């Protein structure tokens, strides 16, 4: 049990990091949303596995919330937004896939270098989980920084939040209330951002954040 | 007085300050608040003095469950705290008594009444604090309360500027003190004073702490070059507050410095004393020179405060030099002289500000060029001012003489120091102090002569009337204290002795055993001073002279028309003016200290226009240190301002970069 539990948790968390890297270089909108949905599915599997090994039934609820919201509702609505905004044909400029990937690998190395010595006394399962979770967070942030389209920035933000849930699930004894409230706040953030997207679009005929800079008079 | 009682009194002051807000509508609110504040301050004064005399070596400690949770607020009462409690509350009692009368003229008492008791409470809290947190919170409370008082008359642009400069300098000082206490507490975070004093620390760290303390406490005390706010802020406040700021708050800063350097930081190092003496002597000379040419009465007094703080810090520096060389008896002499000067200055500076307030209340003027002849219109307050001017000019038999004399005694034993550099430097510092004392006398002769003698130079000065009895009572009370401290300094020196003993390790010889109130700081064979004898001599010779003149001279007075060549024109403008009195000093030191320039605007021959002579003086410290500094801060602020206008991705990248940089630091530091 112990060995298997560790290996499976490791595998799932590692796949999350891998999927984050996949998102990082993906430059097509619909594929990106599909990978994001897959990201959320793997997350909910990981959380469910944690629930099973830790014997913490409330984590199943977290896993279910993640599966419902992040793997279905949000990707589907994002898909509809993209169709309605008519940005699906845009092939986004990511800005040097190679360099971005190298930076991403560097970030993973950094989070391992930070987390593993810092949690030397914790149990190995939580340690690996935390290191991977930090990598997912950093990769999500990197995605937000390197993308120009508002929709892809949202996906970056959501994948960042997935990393937070992974960390929370790995830490034993995190109350359910916290996880549920985090999940709901993310949903609300998503709604608010969605509304704003349409307002921006109405106003500027684009969701490229570069356009916003024109409107503030910083670029002529 | 037990410590708990003292804290109850302080709490009473805070309650009073809240009550003052509630009472602001009442017609007698001002008198009630000041009377209550004065009563509490008197209780504190009495308790502290009684404790200093009865139980000089006892230290009381108390921890209250206030402030930081699990740590609380620690307080203590030892000899040093008691002495400074006496200084603060003596000033507060005088100021309250004075303000019962003076505060009645205040247009908007609601702007002053709530802050005044809070200010007194803050000062009292600083000197009884026993951990860094309590000390800093009290210190900031004191600063903010006094800042509110400086801004009491904020409708004048000059006062708003004074308030701004003051709050900037106060923040600088508080930051320096915060860093100093942070370094003192070290990584283990022992913030109570007992732990700090018991912790050994490397020499460079102790030196850094002393430099920071010098910036923090020195900026509050008005040590050059951190003095720039003082001549702006002290005059801006109402006069009784000015008296308290100059007389008591600068002393709280001196207390902070003594507490850190002599008590907390550990063994004294020699180079500190060199820095202290140079800064102190520099402040003394610079302050008095500006006082000698200043036209604004209250600002003149503020500059003189800088001089006196310089004298105190020089004394402390000298004490450090002796202590670093383990010559404790001489260190105790210099230290006692500095403390005595602290007490003396708080007395006569309060009195001078009271007098200036009386003049301001009677005429509405602060410019001494427009005053004159007030000795006939305000005979009593001018007598008190004459006494204060004599005291601050260090004339016997008043108190200013004793402390300066003791300080010079300490300078005279400097050949006992083993280092040649110090042996040569100390007499030079002594000479600078002597110069400051002489110029101080000149400045106060000028002040008294121009304001009170001669003929009035403006209609407002003609209409002046004597101030109210409360103010006069306060002034004569303080004057009586000045005289009695001058006549019987031995009593105070004996009360100071336990303070010196606790911090220096030695004390002056017992003075109360000497006959006829004589003071002999080292040994009677070496030097001694008898204030009573000098007072008796001056009193008897003056009375005799008056008697002789009246008996043989007055009868011979003839009244006749003045010789016209003396006064061809009876316009008051023909009198000697303050500027003309100051001109020799300005000329001698003009280029170096004031960078003074005289511009003569002479009309062409045949032109009937009047000629003009204008003099421009600038504070070089302001143009050399502060202007480049403010310029640099403005430039940095302008360039940082670009951060306000980044793009969304720019901000995100900034957050991302900061996060990565922090993680990298964590990863590599271990």
């Amino acid at each position: 049990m112990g060995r298997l539990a560790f290996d499976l948790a490791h595998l799932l968390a590692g796949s999350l990091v891998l999927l984050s890297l996949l998102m990082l270089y993906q430059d097509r909108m619909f594929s990106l949303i599909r990978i994001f949905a897959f990201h959320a599915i793997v997350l909910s599997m990981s959380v469910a596995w944690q629930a099973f090994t830790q014997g913490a039934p409330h984590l199943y609820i977290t896993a279910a919330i993640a599966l419902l919201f992040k793997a279905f509702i949000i990707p589907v609505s994002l898909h509809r937004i993209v169709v309605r905004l008519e940005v699906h044909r845009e092939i986004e400029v990511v800005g040097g896939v190679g360099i971005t990937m190298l930076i991403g690998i560097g970030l993973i190395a950094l989070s391992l270098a930070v987390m593993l010595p810092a949690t030397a006394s914790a149990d190995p399962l939580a340690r690996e989980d935390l290191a991977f979770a930090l990598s997912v967070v950093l990769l999500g942030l990197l995605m937000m920084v390197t993308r120009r389209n508002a929709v892809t920035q949202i996906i970056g933000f959501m994948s960042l939040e997935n990393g937070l849930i992974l960390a929370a699930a790995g830490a034993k004894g995190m109350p359910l209330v916290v996880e549920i409230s985090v999940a709901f706040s993310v949903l609300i953030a998503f709604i608010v951002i969605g509304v704003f997207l349409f307002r921006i679009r109405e106003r500027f005929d684009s969701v490229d954040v570069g356009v916003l800079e024109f409107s503030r008079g910083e670029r002529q | 007085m037990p410590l708990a009682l003292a804290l109850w009194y302080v709490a009473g002051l805070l309650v009073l300050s809240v009550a003052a807000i509630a009472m602001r509508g009442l017609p007698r609110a001002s008198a009630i608040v000041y009377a209550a504040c004065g009563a509490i301050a008197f209780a504190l004064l009495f308790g502290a003095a009684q404790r200093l005399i009865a139980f000089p070596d006892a230290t009381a400690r108390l921890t209250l469950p206030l402030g930081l949770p699990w740590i609380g607020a620690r307080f203590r009462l030892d000899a040093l705290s008691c002495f400074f409690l006496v200084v603060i509350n003596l000033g507060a009692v005088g100021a309250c008594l004075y303000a019962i009368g003076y505060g009645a003229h205040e247009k908007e008492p609601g702007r002053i009444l709530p802050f005044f008791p809070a200010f007194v409470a803050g000062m009292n809290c600083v000197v009884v604090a026993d951990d860094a947190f309590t000390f800093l919170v009290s210190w900031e409370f004191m600063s903010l309360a006094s800042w509110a008082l400086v801004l009491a008359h904020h409708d004048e642009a000059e006062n708003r500027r004074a308030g701004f400069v003051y709050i900037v300098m106060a923040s600088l000082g508080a930051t320096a003190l915060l860093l100093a206490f942070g370094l003192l507490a070290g990584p283990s975070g022992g913030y109570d004073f007992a732990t700090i004093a018991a912790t050994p620390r490397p020499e460079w760290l102790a030196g850094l702490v002393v430099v920071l303390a010098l910036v923090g406490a020195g900026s509050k005390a008005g040590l050059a070059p951190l003095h720039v706010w003082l001549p702006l802020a002290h005059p801006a406040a109402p006069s009784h507050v000015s008296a308290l700021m100059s007389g008591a708050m600068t002393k709280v800063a001196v207390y902070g410095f003594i507490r850190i350097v002599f008590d907390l930081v550990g063994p004294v190092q020699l180079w500190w004393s060199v820095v202290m003496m140079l800064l102190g002597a520099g402040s003394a000379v610079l302050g008095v020179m500006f006082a000698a040419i200043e036209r604004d009465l209250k600002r003149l007094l503020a500059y003189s405060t800088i001089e006196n703080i310089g004298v105190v810090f020089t004394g402390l520096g000298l004490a450090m030099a002796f202590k670093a060389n383990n010559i404790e008896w001489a260190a105790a002499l210099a230290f006692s002289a500095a403390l005595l000067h602290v007490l003396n200055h708080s007395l006569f500076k309060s009195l001078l500000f009271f007098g200036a307030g009386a003049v301001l209340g009677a005429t509405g003027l602060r410019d001494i060029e427009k005053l004159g002849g007030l000795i006939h219109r305000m005979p009593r307050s001018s007598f008190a001012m004459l006494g204060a001017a004599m005291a601050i000019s260090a004339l016997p038999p008043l108190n200013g003489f004793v402390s300066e004399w003791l300080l010079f005694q300490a300078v005279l034993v400097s050949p006992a120091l083993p280092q040649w550099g110090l042996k040569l430097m100390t007499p030079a510092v002594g000479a600078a102090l002597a110069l400051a004392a002489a110029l101080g006398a000149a400045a106060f002769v000028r002040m008294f002569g121009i304001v009170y003698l001669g003929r009035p130079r403006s209609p407002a000065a003609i209409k002046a009337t004597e101030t109210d009895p409360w103010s006069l009572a306060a002034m004569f009370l303080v004057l009586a204290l000045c005289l009695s401290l001058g006549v019987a300094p031995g009593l105070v020196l004996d009360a100071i002795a336990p303070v010196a003993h606790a911090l220096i390790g030695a004390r002056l010889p017992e003075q109360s055993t000497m006959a006829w109130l004589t003071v002999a700081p080292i040994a009677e064979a070496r030097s001694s001073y008898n204030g009573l004898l000098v007072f008796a001599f001056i009193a008897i010779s003056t009375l005799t002279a008056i008697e002789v003149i009246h008996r043989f001279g007055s009868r011979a007075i003839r009244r006749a028309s003045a010789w016209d060549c003396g006064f061809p024109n009876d316009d008051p403008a023909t009198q000697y003016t303050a500027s003309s009195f100051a001109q020799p000093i300005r000329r001698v030191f003009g280029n170096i200290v004031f960078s003074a320039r005289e511009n003569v605007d002479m009309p062409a021959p045949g032109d009937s226009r009047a000629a003009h002579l204008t003099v421009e003086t600038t504070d070089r410290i302001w143009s050399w240190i502060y202007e480049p500094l403010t310029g640099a801060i403005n430039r940095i602020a302008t360039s940082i301002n670009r951060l306000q206008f980044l793009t969304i991705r720019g901000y995100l990248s900034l957050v991302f970069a900061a996060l990565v940089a922090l993680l990298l630091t964590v990863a590599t530091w271990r």
Side-chain angles (χ1 to χ4, degrees), chain B residues 273-306:
Chain B
S273 67
V274 177
V275 174
M276 289 278 295
M277 279 196 268
L278 291 179
L279 280 179
S283 303
V285 173
L286 196 75
V288 77
M289 280 181 187
F290 275 99
I293 64 162
E294 182 57 56
R295 282 178 56 172
D296 183 314
L297 180 53
K298 284 174 81 177
R299 192 172 294 168
L300 185 159
L301 299 178
Y303 275 121
S304 146
T305 298
I306 297 172

mmCIF file of all heavy atoms in Angstrom, chain B residues 273-306:
data_model
loop_
_atom_site.group_PDB
_atom_site.id
_atom_site.type_symbol
_atom_site.label_atom_id
_atom_site.label_comp_id
_atom_site.label_asym_id
_atom_site.label_seq_id
_atom_site.Cartn_x
_atom_site.Cartn_y
_atom_site.Cartn_z
ATOM 1 N N SER B 273 33.007 59.170 21.581
ATOM 2 C CA SER B 273 33.116 60.433 22.313
ATOM 3 C C SER B 273 33.631 61.533 21.402
ATOM 4 O O SER B 273 33.196 62.678 21.499
ATOM 5 C CB SER B 273 34.026 60.253 23.511
ATOM 6 O OG SER B 273 35.331 60.019 23.064
ATOM 7 N N VAL B 274 34.548 61.169 20.481
ATOM 8 C CA VAL B 274 35.068 62.188 19.568
ATOM 9 C C VAL B 274 33.939 62.733 18.709
ATOM 10 O O VAL B 274 33.751 63.953 18.574
ATOM 11 C CB VAL B 274 36.185 61.580 18.692
ATOM 12 C CG1 VAL B 274 36.681 62.601 17.688
ATOM 13 C CG2 VAL B 274 37.309 61.070 19.556
ATOM 14 N N VAL B 275 33.143 61.808 18.143
ATOM 15 C CA VAL B 275 32.014 62.238 17.312
ATOM 16 C C VAL B 275 31.065 63.123 18.107
ATOM 17 O O VAL B 275 30.643 64.196 17.665
ATOM 18 C CB VAL B 275 31.263 60.998 16.776
ATOM 19 C CG1 VAL B 275 30.002 61.407 16.043
ATOM 20 C CG2 VAL B 275 32.157 60.191 15.870
ATOM 21 N N MET B 276 30.751 62.664 19.334
ATOM 22 C CA MET B 276 29.807 63.405 20.166
ATOM 23 C C MET B 276 30.283 64.802 20.468
ATOM 24 O O MET B 276 29.531 65.772 20.388
ATOM 25 C CB MET B 276 29.618 62.671 21.495
ATOM 26 C CG MET B 276 28.856 61.418 21.389
ATOM 27 S SD MET B 276 27.151 61.786 21.389
ATOM 28 C CE MET B 276 26.978 62.451 23.016
ATOM 29 N N MET B 277 31.581 64.910 20.860
ATOM 30 C CA MET B 277 32.078 66.232 21.248
ATOM 31 C C MET B 277 32.085 67.167 20.056
ATOM 32 O O MET B 277 31.715 68.341 20.164
ATOM 33 C CB MET B 277 33.475 66.100 21.837
ATOM 34 C CG MET B 277 33.447 65.678 23.285
ATOM 35 S SD MET B 277 35.007 65.962 24.064
ATOM 36 C CE MET B 277 35.782 64.403 23.809
ATOM 37 N N LEU B 278 32.494 66.643 18.882
ATOM 38 C CA LEU B 278 32.532 67.512 17.709
ATOM 39 C C LEU B 278 31.120 67.952 17.332
ATOM 40 O O LEU B 278 30.885 69.142 17.076
ATOM 41 C CB LEU B 278 33.191 66.784 16.538
ATOM 42 C CG LEU B 278 34.684 66.534 16.729
ATOM 43 C CD1 LEU B 278 35.260 65.798 15.537
ATOM 44 C CD2 LEU B 278 35.429 67.847 16.928
ATOM 45 N N LEU B 279 30.187 67.007 17.315
ATOM 46 C CA LEU B 279 28.806 67.374 16.964
ATOM 47 C C LEU B 279 28.230 68.349 17.985
ATOM 48 O O LEU B 279 27.573 69.330 17.631
ATOM 49 C CB LEU B 279 27.926 66.130 16.909
ATOM 50 C CG LEU B 279 28.012 65.280 15.647
ATOM 51 C CD1 LEU B 279 27.105 64.084 15.775
ATOM 52 C CD2 LEU B 279 27.614 66.106 14.439
ATOM 53 N N GLY B 280 28.485 68.057 19.267
ATOM 54 C CA GLY B 280 27.937 68.910 20.320
ATOM 55 C C GLY B 280 28.481 70.327 20.226
ATOM 56 O O GLY B 280 27.720 71.302 20.224
ATOM 57 N N ALA B 281 29.816 70.435 20.115
ATOM 58 C CA ALA B 281 30.404 71.776 20.053
ATOM 59 C C ALA B 281 29.950 72.488 18.789
ATOM 60 O O ALA B 281 29.648 73.696 18.805
ATOM 61 C CB ALA B 281 31.922 71.671 20.097
ATOM 62 N N GLY B 282 29.863 71.738 17.673
ATOM 63 C CA GLY B 282 29.395 72.340 16.426
ATOM 64 C C GLY B 282 27.979 72.868 16.575
ATOM 65 O O GLY B 282 27.683 74.003 16.176
ATOM 66 N N SER B 283 27.100 72.062 17.172
ATOM 67 C CA SER B 283 25.721 72.512 17.363
ATOM 68 C C SER B 283 25.673 73.746 18.238
ATOM 69 O O SER B 283 24.916 74.685 17.961
ATOM 70 C CB SER B 283 24.883 71.438 18.051
ATOM 71 O OG SER B 283 24.900 70.269 17.336
ATOM 72 N N ALA B 284 26.480 73.737 19.309
ATOM 73 C CA ALA B 284 26.452 74.866 20.242
ATOM 74 C C ALA B 284 26.817 76.157 19.504
ATOM 75 O O ALA B 284 26.101 77.162 19.593
ATOM 76 C CB ALA B 284 27.411 74.610 21.401
ATOM 77 N N VAL B 285 27.912 76.111 18.741
ATOM 78 C CA VAL B 285 28.374 77.337 18.081
ATOM 79 C C VAL B 285 27.392 77.756 16.990
ATOM 80 O O VAL B 285 26.986 78.917 16.890
ATOM 81 C CB VAL B 285 29.794 77.125 17.517
ATOM 82 C CG1 VAL B 285 30.208 78.305 16.695
ATOM 83 C CG2 VAL B 285 30.755 76.885 18.654
ATOM 84 N N LEU B 286 26.977 76.769 16.191
ATOM 85 C CA LEU B 286 26.081 77.090 15.082
ATOM 86 C C LEU B 286 24.751 77.649 15.604
ATOM 87 O O LEU B 286 24.252 78.673 15.125
ATOM 88 C CB LEU B 286 25.821 75.822 14.276
ATOM 89 C CG LEU B 286 25.241 76.051 12.902
ATOM 90 C CD1 LEU B 286 26.326 76.560 11.989
ATOM 91 C CD2 LEU B 286 24.652 74.767 12.361
ATOM 92 N N GLY B 287 24.198 76.976 16.617
ATOM 93 C CA GLY B 287 22.911 77.402 17.149
ATOM 94 C C GLY B 287 22.962 78.819 17.683
ATOM 95 O O GLY B 287 22.104 79.646 17.383
ATOM 96 N N VAL B 288 24.017 79.110 18.443
ATOM 97 C CA VAL B 288 24.059 80.425 19.078
ATOM 98 C C VAL B 288 24.308 81.518 18.042
ATOM 99 O O VAL B 288 23.817 82.635 18.177
ATOM 100 C CB VAL B 288 25.098 80.440 20.209
ATOM 101 C CG1 VAL B 288 26.489 80.539 19.671
ATOM 102 C CG2 VAL B 288 24.795 81.566 21.165
ATOM 103 N N MET B 289 25.042 81.190 16.970
ATOM 104 C CA MET B 289 25.263 82.220 15.955
ATOM 105 C C MET B 289 23.967 82.582 15.262
ATOM 106 O O MET B 289 23.691 83.759 15.003
ATOM 107 C CB MET B 289 26.270 81.724 14.928
ATOM 108 C CG MET B 289 27.683 81.858 15.413
ATOM 109 S SD MET B 289 28.769 81.282 14.163
ATOM 110 C CE MET B 289 30.285 81.361 15.066
ATOM 111 N N PHE B 290 23.163 81.556 14.972
ATOM 112 C CA PHE B 290 21.878 81.868 14.355
ATOM 113 C C PHE B 290 20.980 82.617 15.325
ATOM 114 O O PHE B 290 20.240 83.516 14.930
ATOM 115 C CB PHE B 290 21.196 80.588 13.855
ATOM 116 C CG PHE B 290 21.667 80.199 12.491
ATOM 117 C CD1 PHE B 290 22.628 79.242 12.320
ATOM 118 C CD2 PHE B 290 21.168 80.846 11.381
ATOM 119 C CE1 PHE B 290 23.068 78.901 11.060
ATOM 120 C CE2 PHE B 290 21.603 80.517 10.116
ATOM 121 C CZ PHE B 290 22.564 79.539 9.959
ATOM 122 N N ALA B 291 21.080 82.243 16.629
ATOM 123 C CA ALA B 291 20.285 82.967 17.623
ATOM 124 C C ALA B 291 20.699 84.437 17.650
ATOM 125 O O ALA B 291 19.873 85.326 17.826
ATOM 126 C CB ALA B 291 20.464 82.334 18.995
ATOM 127 N N ALA B 292 21.993 84.685 17.461
ATOM 128 C CA ALA B 292 22.485 86.052 17.588
ATOM 129 C C ALA B 292 22.020 86.944 16.455
ATOM 130 O O ALA B 292 22.009 88.164 16.604
ATOM 131 C CB ALA B 292 24.011 86.056 17.659
ATOM 132 N N ILE B 293 21.668 86.379 15.300
ATOM 133 C CA ILE B 293 21.234 87.252 14.210
ATOM 134 C C ILE B 293 19.740 87.126 13.913
ATOM 135 O O ILE B 293 19.236 87.829 13.048
ATOM 136 C CB ILE B 293 22.013 86.979 12.907
ATOM 137 C CG1 ILE B 293 21.734 85.583 12.390
ATOM 138 C CG2 ILE B 293 23.495 87.197 13.107
ATOM 139 C CD1 ILE B 293 22.102 85.431 10.935
ATOM 140 N N GLU B 294 19.021 86.265 14.652
ATOM 141 C CA GLU B 294 17.619 86.019 14.315
ATOM 142 C C GLU B 294 16.737 87.192 14.747
ATOM 143 O O GLU B 294 16.950 87.806 15.784
ATOM 144 C CB GLU B 294 17.172 84.729 15.005
ATOM 145 C CG GLU B 294 15.762 84.304 14.731
ATOM 146 C CD GLU B 294 15.482 84.114 13.255
ATOM 147 O OE1 GLU B 294 16.191 83.336 12.603
ATOM 148 O OE2 GLU B 294 14.551 84.774 12.751
ATOM 149 N N ARG B 295 15.733 87.490 13.930
ATOM 150 C CA ARG B 295 14.819 88.592 14.256
ATOM 151 C C ARG B 295 13.536 88.123 14.906
ATOM 152 O O ARG B 295 12.862 88.890 15.594
ATOM 153 C CB ARG B 295 14.441 89.341 12.969
ATOM 154 C CG ARG B 295 15.509 90.279 12.497
ATOM 155 C CD ARG B 295 15.086 90.928 11.216
ATOM 156 N NE ARG B 295 13.801 91.619 11.335
ATOM 157 C CZ ARG B 295 13.312 92.388 10.377
ATOM 158 N NH1 ARG B 295 13.964 92.545 9.259
ATOM 159 N NH2 ARG B 295 12.156 92.978 10.532
ATOM 160 N N ASP B 296 13.142 86.867 14.646
ATOM 161 C CA ASP B 296 11.904 86.334 15.215
ATOM 162 C C ASP B 296 12.171 85.884 16.652
ATOM 163 O O ASP B 296 13.061 85.070 16.902
ATOM 164 C CB ASP B 296 11.451 85.157 14.347
ATOM 165 C CG ASP B 296 10.128 84.577 14.810
ATOM 166 O OD1 ASP B 296 9.976 84.375 16.028
ATOM 167 O OD2 ASP B 296 9.260 84.316 13.969
ATOM 168 N N LEU B 297 11.427 86.434 17.600
ATOM 169 C CA LEU B 297 11.728 86.201 19.018
ATOM 170 C C LEU B 297 11.707 84.712 19.366
ATOM 171 O O LEU B 297 12.628 84.195 20.004
ATOM 172 C CB LEU B 297 10.714 86.975 19.865
ATOM 173 C CG LEU B 297 10.858 86.868 21.378
ATOM 174 C CD1 LEU B 297 12.264 87.223 21.804
ATOM 175 C CD2 LEU B 297 9.864 87.789 22.062
ATOM 176 N N LYS B 298 10.649 84.014 18.948
ATOM 177 C CA LYS B 298 10.551 82.607 19.332
ATOM 178 C C LYS B 298 11.561 81.745 18.587
ATOM 179 O O LYS B 298 12.070 80.760 19.126
ATOM 180 C CB LYS B 298 9.122 82.096 19.104
ATOM 181 C CG LYS B 298 8.175 82.589 20.196
ATOM 182 C CD LYS B 298 6.757 82.222 19.915
ATOM 183 C CE LYS B 298 6.461 80.808 20.312
ATOM 184 N NZ LYS B 298 5.035 80.479 20.103
ATOM 185 N N ARG B 299 11.853 82.131 17.341
ATOM 186 C CA ARG B 299 12.845 81.348 16.609
ATOM 187 C C ARG B 299 14.227 81.545 17.211
ATOM 188 O O ARG B 299 15.053 80.623 17.244
ATOM 189 C CB ARG B 299 12.827 81.761 15.137
ATOM 190 C CG ARG B 299 13.612 80.811 14.282
ATOM 191 C CD ARG B 299 13.439 81.094 12.834
ATOM 192 N NE ARG B 299 12.075 80.857 12.388
ATOM 193 C CZ ARG B 299 11.606 81.248 11.216
ATOM 194 N NH1 ARG B 299 12.387 81.907 10.390
ATOM 195 N NH2 ARG B 299 10.374 81.004 10.879
ATOM 196 N N LEU B 300 14.476 82.755 17.706
ATOM 197 C CA LEU B 300 15.737 83.025 18.409
ATOM 198 C C LEU B 300 15.899 82.053 19.586
ATOM 199 O O LEU B 300 16.957 81.453 19.778
ATOM 200 C CB LEU B 300 15.702 84.476 18.886
ATOM 201 C CG LEU B 300 16.877 85.157 19.553
ATOM 202 C CD1 LEU B 300 16.684 86.650 19.415
ATOM 203 C CD2 LEU B 300 17.009 84.824 21.006
ATOM 204 N N LEU B 301 14.808 81.890 20.326
ATOM 205 C CA LEU B 301 14.866 80.980 21.469
ATOM 206 C C LEU B 301 15.068 79.539 21.005
ATOM 207 O O LEU B 301 15.772 78.762 21.648
ATOM 208 C CB LEU B 301 13.583 81.088 22.292
ATOM 209 C CG LEU B 301 13.304 82.470 22.876
ATOM 210 C CD1 LEU B 301 11.992 82.457 23.634
ATOM 211 C CD2 LEU B 301 14.427 82.891 23.791
ATOM 212 N N ALA B 302 14.465 79.193 19.874
ATOM 213 C CA ALA B 302 14.630 77.826 19.366
ATOM 214 C C ALA B 302 16.078 77.582 18.965
ATOM 215 O O ALA B 302 16.644 76.519 19.237
ATOM 216 C CB ALA B 302 13.695 77.599 18.188
ATOM 217 N N TYR B 303 16.692 78.567 18.320
ATOM 218 C CA TYR B 303 18.113 78.412 17.971
ATOM 219 C C TYR B 303 18.955 78.270 19.228
ATOM 220 O O TYR B 303 19.925 77.514 19.266
ATOM 221 C CB TYR B 303 18.589 79.599 17.137
ATOM 222 C CG TYR B 303 18.318 79.456 15.663
ATOM 223 C CD1 TYR B 303 17.549 80.372 14.977
ATOM 224 C CD2 TYR B 303 18.843 78.382 14.949
ATOM 225 C CE1 TYR B 303 17.293 80.243 13.619
ATOM 226 C CE2 TYR B 303 18.597 78.242 13.598
ATOM 227 C CZ TYR B 303 17.827 79.167 12.945
ATOM 228 O OH TYR B 303 17.589 79.023 11.614
ATOM 229 N N SER B 304 18.573 79.013 20.253
ATOM 230 C CA SER B 304 19.327 78.904 21.499
ATOM 231 C C SER B 304 19.162 77.518 22.114
ATOM 232 O O SER B 304 20.075 77.019 22.778
ATOM 233 C CB SER B 304 18.885 80.021 22.429
ATOM 234 O OG SER B 304 18.923 79.599 23.737
ATOM 235 N N THR B 305 18.004 76.887 21.888
ATOM 236 C CA THR B 305 17.839 75.499 22.344
ATOM 237 C C THR B 305 18.865 74.597 21.680
ATOM 238 O O THR B 305 19.458 73.720 22.318
ATOM 239 C CB THR B 305 16.424 75.005 22.010
ATOM 240 O OG1 THR B 305 15.493 75.806 22.693
ATOM 241 C CG2 THR B 305 16.244 73.565 22.408
ATOM 242 N N ILE B 306 19.094 74.812 20.373
ATOM 243 C CA ILE B 306 20.094 73.996 19.672
ATOM 244 C C ILE B 306 21.448 74.162 20.345
ATOM 245 O O ILE B 306 22.188 73.199 20.546
ATOM 246 C CB ILE B 306 20.150 74.416 18.189
ATOM 247 C CG1 ILE B 306 18.817 74.143 17.526
ATOM 248 C CG2 ILE B 306 21.264 73.694 17.464
ATOM 249 C CD1 ILE B 306 18.701 74.679 16.135
#
